Amino acid sequence: MFSKTERADTVDRPPSPDAEKGAPVAVLSGARLSYPGIGDGGPEANGAEVDVLRGIDMEIGAGEIVAATGPSGSGKSSLIAVIGGLERPTGGEVKVLDIDLTTAGEAARTDLRRRNIGIVFQSFHLVPAMSALQNASLPLMLAGNFEAESEAAKMLARVGLSHRLNHRPSALSGGEQQRVAIARAFAAEPRLVLADEPTGNLDQATGDEVVGVMFDLVRETGASMLLVTHDESLAARCDRTIAIDNGKVRDTVGS
Ligand SMILES: Nc1ncnc2c1ncn2[C@@H]1O[C@H](COP(=O)(O)OP(=O)(O)OP(=O)(O)O)[C@@H](O)[C@H]1O
Ligand SMILES: [Mg+2]
């Protein structure tokens, strides 16, 4: 399924992060996200806005794997939500695959997500009533792909789950559930994968295996990835690490 002609230039590419590989997939410049205060602003209410992202400058290059680390509450999941088009930035500029997410409407953000972004969450976020195959097929079905199930089945085989196609999430181990989520995230061949602590609910060995699968898929498909993690050994496997602190990029380690 990775033999599409438009991907032919990326499949055999060496994994060096240094080579110039074309335009970055995401560019953030002074990106801000504020949530409205809770309540109606009356004397009992906490009406002040919460500034969660306070001017983020960063890029994710084509084919690059970037780790994001930082303390709890520093804004890592909010950063994923903004880059993934789940939350609209309230200031600055966020461009993902040349779509300006500061001005894009809901429909344009949904379209970007469906076509070009895969998201993997800490707690898997699978649909409980659906089998592994149905879960992994979902993005392809939403994209109107008539081969959705057979392509999803190939993807599940790729992540080592061909013997679990008809199992529901409750009948799968945590590591298996995350593999289904990874198959789902990669099924539509996204250009950018966003992973928010994908190993957070897994033991070290299972987490390492699951991340190994993600790294392999990123390299094979030429996708880029932003990987939020608390695990320093995992961050060290990425091309570059950005440290988020209190809604800003504190520093960058790596090339
Ligand atoms: N919907 C919301 N409304 C108001 N504040 C929010 C909302 N979502 C997140 N926040 C606040 O934004 C800040 C950043 O949250 P975020 O979830 O991005 O942090 P994080 O770095 O992912 O933390 P963790 O490592 O615990 O997952 C926190 O102070 C949080 O309380
Ligand atoms: Mg988080």
Side-chain angles (χ1 to χ4, degrees):
M1 70 187 288
F2 304 128
S3 56
K4 281 188 183 174
T5 47
E6 68 265 31
R7 286 293 167 93
D9 60 332
T10 60
V11 171
D12 297 325
R13 199 170 55 193
S16 161
D18 300 319
E20 190 50 57
K21 297 168 178 164
V25 293
V27 182
L28 285 75
S29 171
R32 302 187 72 87
L33 179 67
S34 304
Y35 289 108
I38 298 158
D40 58 6
E44 303 294 313
N46 173 14
E49 282 201 338
V50 186
D51 293 326
V52 176
L53 302 181
R54 303 184 311 121
I56 298 259
D57 299 314
M58 64 175 283
E59 284 189 9
I60 304 171
E64 195 179 24
I65 301 181
V66 179
T69 60
S72 182
S74 57
K76 305 179 300 295
S77 294
S78 304
L79 179 63
I80 291 229
V82 162
I83 296 175
L86 299 166
E87 293 281 354
R88 193 210 292 256
T90 47
E93 198 174 70
V94 177
K95 279 200 170 172
V96 177
L97 297 165
D98 278 336
I99 309 264
D100 183 346
L101 293 180
T102 320
T103 54
E106 184 73 42
R109 287 188 283 131
T110 301
D111 189 58
L112 171 72
R113 226 169 32 243
R114 284 205 183 139
R115 287 173 193 275
N116 282 315
I117 296 180
I119 308 184
V120 179
F121 299 94
Q122 176 174 350
S123 50
F124 321 135
H125 286 210
L126 299 174
V127 182
M130 289 186 170
S131 68
L133 183 59
Q134 289 168 329
N135 267 285
S137 306
L138 261 183
L140 293 165
M141 288 193 165
L142 289 170
N145 186 325
F146 294 114
E147 309 287 321
E149 286 217 339
S150 65
E151 294 205 2
K154 280 187 220 158
M155 208 61 209
L156 285 165
R158 177 64 191 81
V159 301
L161 280 185
S162 46
H163 57 309
R164 292 281 186 272
L165 299 186
N166 297 315
H167 287 56
R168 290 190 179 174
S170 58
L172 298 171
S173 71
E176 288 171 338
Q177 289 182 60
Q178 196 61 302
R179 284 168 191 262
V180 176
I182 290 167
R184 178 180 61 184
F186 281 90
E189 297 183 36
R191 301 269 304 277
L192 175 61
V193 173
L194 305 169
D196 194 351
E197 300 189 42
T199 64
N201 283 357
L202 305 175
D203 62 53
Q204 187 76 40
T206 307
D208 286 349
E209 276 172 33
V210 158
V211 163
V213 170
M214 289 182 73
F215 274 59
D216 288 348
L217 284 169
V218 166
R219 298 300 189 203
E220 280 169 28
T221 62
S224 306
M225 179 159 72
L226 177 63
L227 171 64
V228 167
T229 182
H230 283 116
D231 181 339
E232 284 183 15
S233 65
L234 205 51
R237 290 171 65 184
C238 297
D239 298 325
R240 189 156 60 86
T241 299
I242 59 170
I244 309 284
D245 194 9
N246 197 13
K248 287 189 164 175
V249 177
R250 181 164 49 79
D251 73 53
T252 300
V253 180
S255 51

